[in-house]
Amino acid sequence: MRDEALSGDFTAEAPGDVLIGGPSVPPPAFGVESSLSGCRWQWRPGADDPAIARLGSAIAQRYALPEIAGRVMALRGITPDSAASFLNPTLRALMPDPSCLRDMDVAAARLAHAVKIQETVAIFGDYDVDGACSTALLATTLQKLGCTVLTHIPDRMTEGYGPNVPALLSLADKGATLTVCLDCGTAAGDILTCLENRSDVLIIDHHKSEGKLPDVLATVNPNRADCTSQLGNLCAAALTFFTIVATVRELRKSGWFSDQRPEPALLGELDLVALATVCDVMPLTGLNRAFVRQGLRTMAGQLRPGLRLLSEIAGLKTAPSAFALGYTLGPRINAGGRIAEAHLGTRLLTTQDAGEARELAERLDAVNRRRQEVETDILDRAMEQAQVQVDQGNAVLMLVGSEWHAGVVGIVASRIKERFNRPALVCAEQEDGQIKGSGRSVPGIDLGAAIIAARENKLLTNGGGHAMAAGFSLSKNFVSDLHDFLNVRLSAACSRPDRAILEIDSVLSPRGVSIETAKAIDILAPFGQGNDEPLIALTNLQVVRSDRIGANGNTLRLILAGEGNRNIKALMFRVTDGPTLTAFEDKTRPHLNFVGYLRHETWQGREGVTFFVRDVSLATSVN
């Protein structure tokens, strides 16, 4: 609710979306049952609870924090005793012994042996950001340790997800006697048999599997049934970092390092772990929070040419943040694997040549613009299909297009999921009658396990994933069967409302929109899955200026005016024709309510604050 101390005298596939089902849905905040974009607004549970307010005050007092920081921490279940770890997460305190992971010691010993005999090692990585970061991380480390390294990132269109026989055999033909599958491989036991007697195989992965594990030397995967590490929320890049730490430890124990063979500086690689953790939508709590916090510090040092130049070309002018990783850098690195050359992202992250890095960054930026155009072409038609399926009562939305590009279906699935609060699978029909698809889920609905179960039931030719995302392929003849299977398996999704619910943490008056308030919120960063950026409400404001900016003209730069004629600088992304744009351009300047994120910015030594608009509603009353 409105906190007077926070509202005037106080001197970031979107966060804040929550899915709530059942009969006890609380009253809408500000009476907004359906905003201009169709969302329902609610207070975050506990926002009006005096006990939460007291707990927030206790946290703020103990750690000398601004009141809003303590209040938001309390709303996220943080106590005065756990606040220290949240505010200062360190790898020293939070990172367990890598040996807690099943098969880790075997994998580390084998990699250490490869280093000692200067073996040729092949790395087969996935084509997303996590795969690119994992591949770059292991490849650069092994090269520094003297190994010859061959890398392969599969083409999404021609090879599909995961290991394939021609690529594996090609790497073996080039001399690889050790093959490491990163961010893939757990569900590819039948394929990996092609390397028998030619190459040892290690798998470092986090995707689930309901079938038998591959018969390989080691499968490091916290989500395998017999792993008790409790590290199932780590991405593949984080697991790769664990593996490198264990390998270096193994080499150290054997006396391998010397003045001529120094140990690699592993903390300098955490920029890649942070990037992958954010882009793979891992929860930013505990160890992941420490990885991202330290990785952002590493990235700020601009030691990796590829990330430095990609940031420059993308127009990032502030210190790196989780938001920048997820919404600016990640999509560009992903773009190569979606609609162009799959290896571009890995090359960008591994090159030490500034000239090559600039060329790769420019190519990825251009490819990302093409990706946005392709996505826009598909989205409207997918939304129409989705609405029909929601009206029919489907728990899962499964959308198929014969002219859709398989490289962007995952992004479209994210948009559909956000709009309708249902697990969404978006599929592209290929010329040979095969279907390639990608799915995104909602909290509490494990899509990855369902896709693996469908594969076990012979409905898919390939498929895998984790709770929130999955990829798959199947024959066109099995589309209806798969949809029926998922509707039954994930029927709990039917109890969810068919629109996004935005949970609001606090409301500020125009006077409370200040650099001081934004800095107080910054204390709680990094934000992402599991640590939502605080969603702030501003009420009864008018748009006094609206300018279209950006390459596509769908970003709006706004000036909002409230009580006392205090102006607030705001931005809103992806604004297309519709009720929101109509309200902004209404010459009568209607009073509006806004929810969004308050962010502190520094540019050329000057500090400022911008309100990033998430959603808008008509004000039902005017102060």
Side-chain angles (χ1 to χ4, degrees):
M1 298 295 189
R2 181 181 291 273
D3 187 324
E4 293 304 324
L6 307 182
S7 63
D9 299 327
F10 195 85
T11 32
E13 284 136 285
D17 290 13
V18 198
L19 310 172
I20 298 178
S24 59
V25 176
F30 309 108
V32 181
E33 187 69 50
S34 181
S35 69
L36 294 180
S37 69
C39 296
R40 189 181 199 272
W41 294 5
Q42 293 177 183
W43 293 106
R44 186 177 293 276
D48 57 352
D49 186 344
I52 293 294
R54 290 193 296 271
L55 184 61
S57 294
I59 293 172
Q61 290 172 13
R62 180 184 294 192
Y63 296 97
L65 299 174
E67 187 73 19
I68 192 172
R71 174 74 65 84
V72 171
M73 289 168 68
L75 283 172
R76 280 147 182 74
I78 297 166
T79 66
D81 291 337
S82 63
S85 176
F86 176 85
L87 293 168
N88 186 32
T90 64
L91 294 180
R92 182 181 297 276
L94 295 170
M95 185 169 169
D97 186 331
S99 295
C100 71
L101 285 152
R102 187 86 173 189
D103 277 4
M104 176 59 80
D105 290 342
V106 175
R110 181 62 183 86
L111 284 166
H113 177 70
V115 170
K116 291 175 183 177
I117 66 172
Q118 302 294 275
E119 203 167 351
T120 297
V121 180
I123 300 175
F124 192 107
D126 191 17
Y127 42 56
D128 66 358
V129 175
D130 193 14
C133 289
S134 302
T135 301
L137 179 56
L138 185 59
T140 53
T141 302
L142 290 178
Q143 286 168 343
K144 289 175 184 176
L145 293 173
C147 288
T148 298
V149 179
L150 309 173
T151 63
H152 183 83
I153 306 295
D155 184 278
R156 183 188 296 260
M157 304 300 294
T158 61
E159 296 177 78
Y161 169 78
N164 62 84
V165 171
L168 293 171
L169 293 180
S170 175
L171 292 168
D173 289 342
K174 293 174 183 176
T177 47
L178 173 62
T179 301
V180 186
C181 297
L182 298 179
D183 199 25
C184 61
T186 301
D190 52 340
I191 293 170
L192 292 170
T193 57
C194 73
L195 291 177
E196 190 174 3
N197 300 321
R198 297 200 62 185
S199 173
D200 287 338
V201 177
L202 306 177
I203 295 171
I204 303 171
D205 193 11
H206 66 142
H207 294 96
K208 295 182 178 180
S209 175
E210 293 190 353
K212 182 182 176 182
L213 289 173
D215 184 16
V216 298
L217 189 63
T219 298
V220 177
N221 186 334
N223 289 309
R224 55 185 283 182
D226 58 351
C227 185
T228 59
S229 67
Q230 298 184 319
L231 295 174
N233 286 329
L234 295 185
C235 68
L239 295 168
T240 302
F241 183 79
F242 266 75
T243 306
I244 291 171
V245 169
T247 301
V248 168
R249 181 176 64 184
E250 190 76 18
L251 290 167
R252 186 188 307 121
K253 284 164 51 179
S254 68
W256 169 257
F257 296 113
S258 65
D259 291 341
Q260 289 72 40
R261 292 197 296 248
E263 290 192 23
L266 298 186
L267 290 181
E269 308 295 339
L270 287 177
D271 54 347
L272 297 180
V273 179
L275 179 62
T277 298
V278 171
C279 293
D280 226 40
V281 201
M282 297 293 104
L284 296 192
T285 56
L287 178 58
N288 280 335
R289 184 171 168 81
F291 275 138
V292 174
R293 177 74 71 87
Q294 181 59 48
L296 289 172
R297 293 193 187 111
T298 300
M299 196 176 296
Q302 298 189 329
L303 300 177
R304 195 175 301 275
L307 289 180
R308 181 179 72 247
L309 288 161
L310 186 62
S311 298
E312 175 188 316
I313 288 167
L316 287 178
K317 299 180 175 65
T318 59
S321 65
F323 178 82
L325 269 56
Y327 290 91
T328 303
L329 300 181
R332 285 166 171 80
I333 293 170
N334 245 341
R338 291 191 181 281
I339 63 172
E341 300 161 88
H343 59 82
L344 290 179
T346 300
R347 287 179 57 196
L348 177 82
L349 298 175
T350 54
T351 184
Q352 292 300 309
D353 181 89
E356 182 184 24
R358 178 174 294 279
E359 177 188 350
L360 290 167
E362 289 174 344
R363 287 173 65 185
L364 285 169
D365 188 60
V367 169
N368 188 56
R369 289 195 296 273
R370 279 175 31 217
R371 186 270 305 167
Q372 291 171 329
E373 293 169 358
V374 172
E375 174 195 337
T376 300
D377 289 341
I378 296 173
L379 188 57
D380 288 344
R381 288 172 287 170
M383 283 287 185
E384 292 174 1
Q385 280 193 35
Q387 184 64 66
V388 171
Q389 293 190 12
V390 168
D391 294 342
Q392 292 170 343
N394 286 277
V396 175
L397 308 179
M398 186 163 180
L399 319 172
V400 182
S402 60
E403 298 178 356
W404 294 355
H405 195 296
V408 302
V409 292
I411 302 174
V412 175
S414 293
R415 303 279 186 262
I416 300 294
K417 179 264 296 185
E418 290 170 7
R419 169 62 183 83
F420 294 105
N421 280 354
R422 294 280 193 280
L425 289 77
V426 180
C427 311
E429 183 179 340
Q430 309 298 294
E431 292 181 358
D432 60 1
Q434 282 290 106
I435 300 291
K436 290 188 176 181
S438 187
R440 298 293 183 269
S441 194
V442 294
I445 302 294
D446 191 337
L447 179 60
I451 288 295
I452 293 167
R455 180 179 178 179
E456 295 295 319
N457 280 271
K458 311 300 182 184
L459 295 174
L460 303 176
T461 55
N462 197 8
H466 48 76
M468 299 297 287
F472 55 91
S473 58
L474 70 159
S475 166
K476 180 180 179 180
N477 298 329
F478 286 97
V479 169
S480 294
D481 293 335
L482 176 62
H483 198 181
D484 292 341
F485 177 87
L486 295 175
N487 268 330
V488 173
R489 172 106 180 191
L490 305 179
S491 60
C494 277
S495 65
R496 299 172 181 273
D498 60 1
R499 61 188 180 279
I501 293 179
L502 303 183
E503 287 191 341
I504 301 169
D505 291 273
S506 185
V507 57
L508 296 176
S509 74
R511 285 189 302 152
V513 180
S514 65
I515 292 174
E516 291 76 16
T517 307
K519 284 184 174 179
I521 292 173
D522 271 354
I523 293 170
L524 311 177
F527 300 116
Q529 181 77 14
N531 182 37
D532 294 343
E533 185 171 4
L535 192 65
I536 305 297
L538 307 176
T539 62
N540 290 319
L541 303 181
Q542 294 174 291
V543 177
V544 297
R545 181 168 178 174
S546 174
D547 298 311
R548 293 175 181 261
I549 61 174
N552 297 321
N554 61 0
T555 297
L556 293 186
R557 182 167 52 202
L558 308 169
I559 300 296
L560 312 179
E563 59 189 37
N565 292 321
R566 185 181 179 95
N567 288 342
I568 296 169
K569 185 174 71 172
L571 280 176
M572 188 171 187
F573 300 112
R574 295 204 306 267
V575 183
T576 56
D577 292 340
T580 299
L581 185 60
T582 299
F584 288 169
E585 296 180 343
D586 188 336
K587 300 300 182 183
T588 68
R589 293 184 181 175
H591 285 76
L592 304 171
N593 297 329
F594 297 81
V595 291
Y597 313 106
L598 190 65
R599 294 176 184 153
H600 169 247
E601 299 174 315
T602 303
W603 171 238
Q604 294 184 338
R606 298 179 61 183
E607 291 186 296
V609 61
T610 299
F611 189 77
F612 286 75
V613 179
R614 173 69 179 85
D615 198 19
V616 186
S617 74
L618 294 174
T620 55
S621 62
V622 179
N623 292 338

